[in-house]
Amino acid sequence: MTSRERFLQALALEPLDRPPVWIMRQAGRYLPEYRALKEQHSFVKMVQTPELAVEVTLQPLRRFELDAAIVFSDILVIPEAMGQAYHFKETGGIAMDFTLSTAADIGKLESNGIPDRLNYVTQALQLLRKELGQDTALLGFGGSPWTLAAYMLEGGGSKSWSKAKALFWEEPSLFHQLMEKLCDALSDYFLVQIEAGVDAIQIFDSWGAACPGRDYPEMSLRWIQQVISRLPEGFPIILYAKGMAEHADNMAETGARILSVDWTVNLPEFHDGLPEGVGLQGNLDPAILDTNPDLTRAETRRFLEDMQGKPGHIFNLGHGIYPSASPDNVAALVETVCAYPES
Ligand code: CP3
């Protein structure tokens, strides 16, 4: 069975001897070959140059037997295509070039013509589909409308996300206007990713956990559902939201096929409680990759045993890989999953 077949089978919630494995987001930084490339080119330049984006995407695949590749890009390409650019800070981390603060700022955002302005992503995906052939799965991705709005309204990351929440509470119609624009941009963007040949799309609701639980459906999930409703029926969507596992039923109502959860979640239990027709992705603690290969192998195996025989599982870390992760430990993890149950 090829990696891609395995991945598609997991997406179809069919039983497998072992789950497909890939490594979640911001995946380049622990590799010396990524850091070397970044000495020569800025982060945004790498994202915007299809050949460089393809190179960064393929780096982990050359080292490890991963079943799927996620295109190197960023969720912030959407605000940038709408007229609010982002940059990588000298001190590390990421910021928007300006903060979205007035109705006029929101009015000016452009939600038409996104596929043209993000043609560099489509080109990277097309090149990747060729490079990978038909044997490895390819994932596209984007941020959720709420998570993108949060970055746009705060001008970057935030501890409290109070400006973003204030818009929801104080000016609901302006909040709706922004969310409608984001939904238009995102659905057009996902449609071209699908045309370029991705096997699934992961939506990152990274800051879903900033929402009060009772407002989560209105602040975030409703808009994710709107985006998904405009995609071809049944196209597999993986929805990641850290810290929101107790909202699994509401998350599943968005139309997502797979819920991706962080490592605080007891995965076999969570699997048993999932609604019919929904699978899960996760969720080894990425901190294990700061230890050693023996511990990584043992922990990975323990986790595989817990999930043995449960269909619709994609093996992944419960959050992005840390820059401090050791490539030897990543190798130990991937080898253990691929050799399972013999490993
Ligand atoms: O695995 C991959 O490399 C796929 C590409 C990918 C990146 N970002 C590249 C990246 C993906 C899927 C993302 C998603 C992303 N980007 C999210 C959602 C996931 C999450 O973390 O919850 C978010 C919130 C962003 C926005 C973003 N991009 C932030 C907040 C940062 C800086 C913070 C950090 O972790 O350092 C980035 C930078 C970024 N995006 C890097 C990479 C490889 C780091 C670049 C570097 O340090 O050289």
Side-chain angles (χ1 to χ4, degrees):
M1 181 189 298
T2 66
S3 287
R4 189 173 181 213
E5 284 163 354
R6 182 178 295 280
F7 203 85
L8 295 177
Q9 217 155 306
L11 288 172
L13 316 185
E14 283 165 20
L16 283 162
D17 50 349
R18 62 125 176 128
V21 56
W22 68 282
I23 287 176
M24 191 153 80
R25 72 200 193 280
Q26 300 178 9
R29 288 177 290 179
Y30 65 103
L31 294 177
E33 56 269 36
Y34 169 80
R35 294 197 295 268
L37 207 61
K38 209 179 150 205
E39 303 253 297
Q40 297 170 37
H41 312 281
S42 72
F43 177 76
V44 174
K45 169 93 190 295
M46 293 198 293
V47 166
Q48 293 185 346
T49 311
E51 292 72 21
L52 292 173
V54 167
E55 171 56 25
V56 178
T57 305
L58 295 177
Q59 283 175 343
L61 281 110
R62 293 196 188 106
R63 283 184 180 244
F64 317 114
E65 243 185 283
L66 298 163
D67 292 308
I70 183 159
V71 61
F72 176 77
S73 184
D74 202 273
I75 62 169
L76 299 177
V77 301
I78 281 285
E80 124 68 18
M82 295 174 81
Q84 189 185 9
Y86 67 100
H87 60 275
F88 201 80
K89 293 190 287 187
E90 285 295 320
T91 49
I94 221 147
M96 310 311 294
D97 288 3
F98 63 91
T99 302
L100 209 60
S101 42
T102 63
D105 291 342
I106 293 174
K108 263 190 267 169
L109 291 173
E110 185 55 77
S111 53
N112 293 320
I114 299 299
D116 282 345
R117 263 169 275 133
L118 293 183
N119 192 246
Y120 57 85
V121 184
T122 317
Q123 281 180 33
L125 287 170
Q126 287 164 344
L127 287 169
L128 278 169
R129 189 76 277 176
K130 273 197 212 125
E131 286 275 336
L132 293 169
Q134 294 305 309
D135 289 353
T136 305
L138 177 61
L139 303 184
F141 73 91
S144 72
W146 160 254
T147 290
L148 292 177
Y151 278 105
M152 294 163 87
L153 293 162
E154 302 281 347
S158 162
K159 282 212 168 72
S160 63
W161 304 99
S162 4
K163 290 186 197 139
K165 293 188 214 179
L167 192 72
F168 172 82
W169 284 316
E170 293 176 351
E171 297 189 70
S173 64
L174 201 52
F175 178 82
H176 282 196
Q177 192 191 336
L178 173 58
M179 297 309 254
E180 290 289 354
K181 283 193 170 191
L182 282 163
C183 286
D184 291 347
L186 280 164
S187 46
D188 286 353
Y189 181 46
F190 289 158
L191 284 170
V192 289
Q193 294 191 21
I194 294 170
E195 248 171 66
V198 299
D199 294 302
I201 286 176
Q202 176 148 329
I203 298 180
F204 288 94
D205 196 16
S206 298
W207 296 109
C211 303
R214 61 204 287 270
D215 291 326
Y216 186 45
E218 266 302 301
M219 267 171 145
S220 182
L221 294 177
R222 159 181 174 184
W223 309 101
I224 294 173
Q225 177 164 29
Q226 181 159 321
V227 172
I228 295 177
S229 73
R230 296 182 190 165
L231 306 180
E233 191 158 359
F235 184 83
I237 300 292
I238 304 171
L239 174 56
Y240 175 79
K242 189 161 179 267
M244 297 312 268
E246 69 176 275
H247 298 274
D249 286 351
N250 287 332
M251 284 169 72
E253 275 172 27
T254 61
R257 172 88 57 81
I258 303 276
L259 303 185
S260 186
V261 290
D262 64 81
W263 65 86
T264 60
V265 176
N266 176 318
L267 214 59
E269 233 173 65
F270 184 74
H271 186 279
D272 293 345
L274 279 175
E276 198 48 43
V278 179
L280 85 189
Q281 175 175 276
N283 67 351
L284 198 66
D285 187 339
I288 196 71
L289 301 172
D290 288 347
T291 65
N292 61 58
D294 282 346
L295 262 175
T296 304
R297 251 179 238 116
E299 197 57 24
T300 303
R301 203 180 152 90
R302 196 163 70 114
F303 179 87
L304 287 163
E305 278 162 4
D306 281 354
M307 287 303 292
Q308 172 88 50
K310 296 198 181 281
H313 174 216
I314 298 171
F315 191 105
N316 205 265
L317 299 172
H319 193 242
I321 194 162
Y322 301 132
S324 54
S326 145
D328 289 346
N329 295 339
V330 178
L333 179 154
V334 178
E335 279 162 24
T336 307
V337 183
C338 289
Y340 193 78
E342 265 83 54
S343 59

